Amino acid sequence: MQVTFKVYRKDPEKDGKPGRSNYTLELAEDATVLDALLKIRDESDSTLAFRGCCGRGYCGECMMRVNGSARLACTAKVPDYIKKGPEISLDPLRNVPVIKDLVFDWDAFMWNKIKEVKPWLETEGSPVNGENLIADAAMQDLRKVMSCFYCGMCDEGCTVLPVDFDFLGPAALTKAYRFAFDPRNKDSREQVKIVEKPKGIWDCVHCYEADEHCPRGIEPTKRIVALRDRAFNSGITHEAVARHHASFAASVKESGWLDEGRLAVESEGLTNVKGLMKLLPTAAKALARGKAPIPYMHSKRPDADKIKKIFEKAEQEEK
Amino acid sequence: MKYAFYPGCVSRGGCPELYPSAVKVADKLGIELDELKSVGCTGAGVLPQNITDPINARTFAKAEQLGLPIMTICSTCTGVMAQANYRLKDDPNYRAKINREYLADEGLEYKGTTEVKHLLWVLFEDYGIERLQSLIQRPLKGLKVSPFYGCYLRRPPEAITPTKELNRRKAYLDELIGILGAEMADISGKGKCCGFPILSANEENSLAMVAKHTGESKEKGADFMVTPCPLCHLNLDGNQSRAEAQTGKEIDLPILHLPQFVGLALGFNPNEMNLKRHIVSTTDVESKVSMMS
Ligand code: SF4
């Protein structure tokens, strides 16, 4: 079969401006995108830079965008794409610093962020014969998470990274979960505290895009939600988030539902004049249109006492 | 056709225009609503699951007693409840534990039969599009509309799109725009997050998301955006001027709630749908709509 690849190019040693090269080549019927790239490099353009290693979807090295969507080049079958048209576009992932052509900066994209979450185990006491043995059953949940092969698909699908590249991202936060939830970890809050800092779990919008993208079914968003729940249950250390969550919880506990006026004011902090002033223009407009909820004026739901009882019991249970 | 109606906090708090519009539209469509009054907040993805699963289980048990499916008018309420419901239905031991520890005191039990549906799903799956079409009095011809779902109405799949057939849910709003006679101004972020959940943790990122979605819609020539989620509305409408200030770009895009959009097509006038209560002015939409009838 004959196929044309339109490949993203950028060479820092030339002008560093992004462009595109077209390559038309003859391929075997079962060729993958990685096969095509190797053929291009061997036969027509030795300057084309890309990464690839295991060739069987295991190492995650050859992650790139094929026709706009992130794929491992070694598992992306060319015939599947040419059904839709004779041309295939290849690009680096979105929002990554590109080094050359399809090679991008994995350190900046993921590894530096993973290093930030303290991705190792610290146990109580010393290991026996160099091992921290644990019952198999206790590792069931983590085994799934440990199958992560750092492909970066979750970060590629993330909603926050395109607006803020410094956000730790689902891959690194999932790594934090892996150690925070390891029963052998001597401080179950260690990683939680790290990822509570700005650009961590509280910057996640929990939109579940990452879960849809992860090829291993690791469900990074659910892991992030678990980290957040643990932070909530053991005392949130991020100041603004702590205020917001405490106000939310207090209003549901006292009245069964949310007092939004109170939430807006208490989230800024009752003594934070600057923060409260910031709310004023919107509040004034809202008031003029008869829609600003007045703080502390909202009524209890019928059965609020029953909801409060459940709330308090659940809190107690977690302690 | 009757539902246990769960209006959510925002439809009477931050977006008080939503609740009365939804009730009027349901009435016109002949959808009977039995409002659940003595139930709690879903937790909105803010409170942890260990607290909200029992509170939501109580809501499901109350609806089960009425023998009615739950209908919401909020993507976030729908999503949070659908996720909790999935856990409770999927794992009978978990459900039994919640029943035993939290609901038994009140003599309640959740058997796992309640369904949770957003009004948007109700229109397509229960009410029927033909029936809706037969009631359209003012096809919204000439209006360009961008859909914005609210991410809770898109994912995760086990709760939101559990079967292949229900994958269609991801396109209901797109379809509805055409059904009501309007033209779609599609945007790339229609299924993404509006930024509301991180407003207190990272306002800059939150407002950047508002600017991105509303700006793209405006560039595509939309008259307004429609959303089934009042939390998205709070951010996209309420904080649009702050997003404009942050990016230094004027946007000025009205955001309509789903029931308002349906209501206009059913023949309600803009005042009856409380359009005046929005932060971003809806004057242009109102005059276009008034010229239609
Ligand atoms: S969590 Fe999944 S998507 Fe993210 S890097 Fe690991 S394997 Fe890839």
Side-chain angles (χ1 to χ4, degrees):
Chain A
M1 64 188 162
Q2 202 184 51
V3 192
T4 300
F5 288 87
K6 303 184 125 190
V7 185
Y8 176 94
R9 302 301 301 271
K10 182 177 162 177
D11 188 349
E13 285 167 6
K14 285 194 185 144
D15 57 1
K17 287 201 187 107
R20 228 164 247 288
S21 295
N22 293 353
Y23 305 99
T24 301
L25 61 159
E26 198 58 46
L27 287 168
E29 292 303 319
D30 59 350
T32 67
V33 171
L34 186 61
D35 293 334
L37 284 168
L38 289 165
K39 190 163 183 198
I40 293 169
R41 195 166 62 184
D42 287 348
E43 294 175 8
S44 50
D45 186 352
S46 61
T47 68
L48 179 64
F50 58 89
R51 282 199 181 99
C53 186
C54 74
R56 53 181 61 196
Y58 204 78
C59 73
E61 277 286 290
C62 61
M63 182 57 70
M64 62 184 65
R65 281 188 297 146
V66 182
N67 279 353
S69 306
R71 293 282 178 275
L72 290 170
C74 69
T75 57
K77 297 237 182 274
V78 174
D80 294 344
Y81 289 90
I82 54 167
K83 270 185 225 147
K84 291 164 205 149
E87 291 180 349
I88 298 175
S89 69
L90 301 179
D91 292 86
L93 296 187
R94 301 179 305 161
N95 320 299
V96 291
V98 172
I99 298 172
K100 183 171 189 275
D101 303 338
L102 298 170
V103 174
F104 55 87
D105 187 348
W106 273 100
D107 283 345
F109 177 57
M110 189 196 286
W111 295 119
N112 293 343
K113 293 175 179 179
I114 286 186
K115 277 186 207 155
E116 272 188 54
V117 308
K118 202 172 172 190
W120 62 83
L121 193 62
E122 277 182 330
T123 55
E124 211 83 67
S126 39
V128 182
N129 299 330
E131 285 187 293
N132 289 300
L133 292 178
I134 186 170
D136 186 55
M139 291 299 279
Q140 279 303 329
D141 167 56
L142 282 185
R143 187 159 298 136
K144 184 95 203 157
V145 182
M146 286 158 71
S147 72
C148 172
F149 66 141
Y150 312 107
C151 65
M153 282 278 256
C154 53
D155 284 356
E156 163 74 10
C158 175
T159 310
V160 180
L161 283 169
V163 299
D164 185 356
F165 186 72
D166 293 333
F167 173 50
L168 281 178
L173 293 172
T174 300
K175 190 48 114 187
Y177 173 96
R178 184 255 169 272
F179 288 99
F181 282 77
D182 190 311
R184 297 164 297 179
N185 201 342
K186 73 168 188 243
D187 179 2
S188 66
R189 295 212 59 208
E190 181 72 27
Q191 277 79 13
V192 179
K193 272 188 260 166
I194 297 172
V195 296
E196 272 211 69
K197 291 194 188 130
K199 313 288 178 190
I201 44 174
W202 302 116
D203 278 31
C204 166
V205 296
H206 43 85
C207 64
Y208 289 89
E209 284 277 0
D211 299 22
E212 231 170 43
H213 279 73
C214 175
R216 294 267 158 105
I218 290 169
E219 303 184 311
T221 315
K222 293 206 177 97
R223 314 299 168 175
I224 297 172
V225 169
L227 288 165
R228 291 163 69 119
D229 285 4
R230 178 172 282 179
F232 181 97
N233 287 315
S234 58
I236 295 172
T237 55
H238 185 300
E239 255 184 63
V241 173
R243 276 199 306 271
H244 177 262
H245 281 54
S247 174
F248 198 114
S251 125
V252 173
K253 211 192 271 185
E254 282 162 28
S255 63
W257 58 311
L258 184 61
D259 179 346
E260 290 169 281
R262 170 181 174 175
L263 183 69
V265 172
E266 290 183 350
S267 290
E268 288 302 332
L270 288 173
T271 53
N272 172 8
V273 177
K274 207 170 140 226
L276 291 172
M277 292 297 284
K278 195 180 64 190
L279 297 175
L280 280 181
T282 317
K285 269 191 209 167
L287 208 62
R289 293 177 169 73
K291 68 179 294 183
I294 316 275
Y296 309 105
M297 295 293 284
H298 107 153
S299 59
K300 274 191 184 183
R301 305 244 81 190
D303 280 2
D305 53 324
K306 296 190 175 113
I307 294 155
K308 182 176 185 184
K309 211 167 141 199
I310 294 181
F311 198 121
E312 285 173 343
K313 195 168 178 190
E315 271 181 314
Q316 216 45 49
E317 197 105 318
E318 202 60 33
K319 288 200 176 118
Chain B
M1 181 171 274
K2 194 171 172 182
Y3 292 88
F5 182 40
Y6 186 95
C9 310
V10 184
S11 73
R12 286 159 303 174
C15 295
E17 66 279 5
L18 173 57
Y19 179 87
S21 313
V23 169
K24 277 181 202 154
V25 166
D27 189 45
K28 184 109 172 192
L29 293 172
I31 298 176
E32 228 183 304
L33 301 178
D34 188 347
E35 187 172 330
L36 289 167
K37 290 207 165 112
S38 56
V39 297
C41 166
T42 63
V46 173
L47 300 178
Q49 272 166 32
N50 55 300
I51 293 174
T52 55
D53 276 5
I55 294 178
N56 286 317
R58 184 176 179 277
T59 306
F60 305 149
K62 290 269 183 189
E64 202 170 53
Q65 278 184 339
L66 297 171
L68 297 173
I70 291 175
M71 186 185 95
T72 77
I73 45 174
C74 170
S75 300
T76 305
C77 292
T78 311
V80 175
M81 287 204 280
Q83 289 176 34
N85 205 14
Y86 170 77
R87 287 188 287 273
L88 292 160
K89 283 186 178 188
D90 185 56
D91 183 351
N93 292 330
Y94 181 54
R95 193 170 69 239
K97 180 175 174 273
I98 300 263
N99 277 329
R100 194 172 58 240
E101 290 177 9
Y102 296 99
L103 304 192
D105 281 357
E106 277 184 69
L108 280 173
E109 187 198 349
Y110 179 43
K111 297 191 182 73
T113 65
T114 300
E115 277 218 76
V116 180
K117 288 193 162 183
H118 192 289
L119 166 66
L120 181 64
W121 299 353
V122 166
L123 291 177
F124 280 84
E125 292 162 19
D126 303 350
Y127 194 76
I129 289 310
E130 275 174 25
R131 193 164 157 205
L132 174 67
Q133 267 163 333
S134 72
L135 292 171
I136 295 178
Q137 291 186 10
R138 182 196 287 128
L140 301 173
K141 283 219 165 49
L143 284 177
K144 269 189 109 172
V145 183
S146 291
F148 196 86
Y149 288 82
C151 50
Y152 273 103
L153 215 52
R154 305 277 292 202
R155 288 170 296 274
E158 70 275 14
I160 303 299
T161 50
T163 63
K164 224 173 164 184
E165 159 76 4
L166 289 178
N167 222 11
R168 262 188 73 209
R169 285 178 172 171
K170 288 191 168 173
Y172 283 165
L173 204 50
D174 300 34
E175 286 181 42
L176 187 69
I177 289 170
I179 290 163
L180 300 185
E183 192 191 328
M184 172 144 86
D186 207 3
I187 54 167
S188 60
K190 64 187 172 191
K192 303 266 182 209
C193 174
C194 68
F196 188 75
I198 53 169
L199 194 57
S200 61
N202 193 329
E203 186 178 292
E204 197 183 332
N205 287 357
S206 177
L207 296 180
M209 291 177 191
V210 172
K212 184 180 178 293
H213 301 309
T214 53
E216 188 182 336
S217 168
K218 193 79 188 183
E219 269 164 33
K220 297 266 167 76
D223 291 291
F224 61 86
M225 188 183 261
V226 61
T227 180
C229 183
L231 273 73
C232 294
H233 194 275
L234 280 179
N235 218 25
L236 298 170
D237 176 64
N239 285 325
Q240 201 181 109
S241 59
R242 287 164 73 198
E244 286 173 335
Q246 182 171 297
T247 51
K249 217 173 70 186
E250 197 192 318
I251 302 168
D252 208 17
L253 179 80
I255 316 290
L256 264 62
H257 297 285
L258 172 75
Q260 293 176 321
F261 180 47
V262 176
L264 292 177
L266 292 180
F268 286 108
N269 64 45
N271 270 344
E272 289 172 299
M273 291 291 103
N274 310 296
L275 290 194
K276 278 272 178 283
R277 287 197 138 184
H278 294 193
I279 300 288
V280 177
S281 165
T282 53
T283 315
D284 289 350
V285 180
E286 287 168 45
S287 54
K288 282 197 183 178
V289 168
S290 337
M291 298 220 289
M292 291 173 187
S293 48

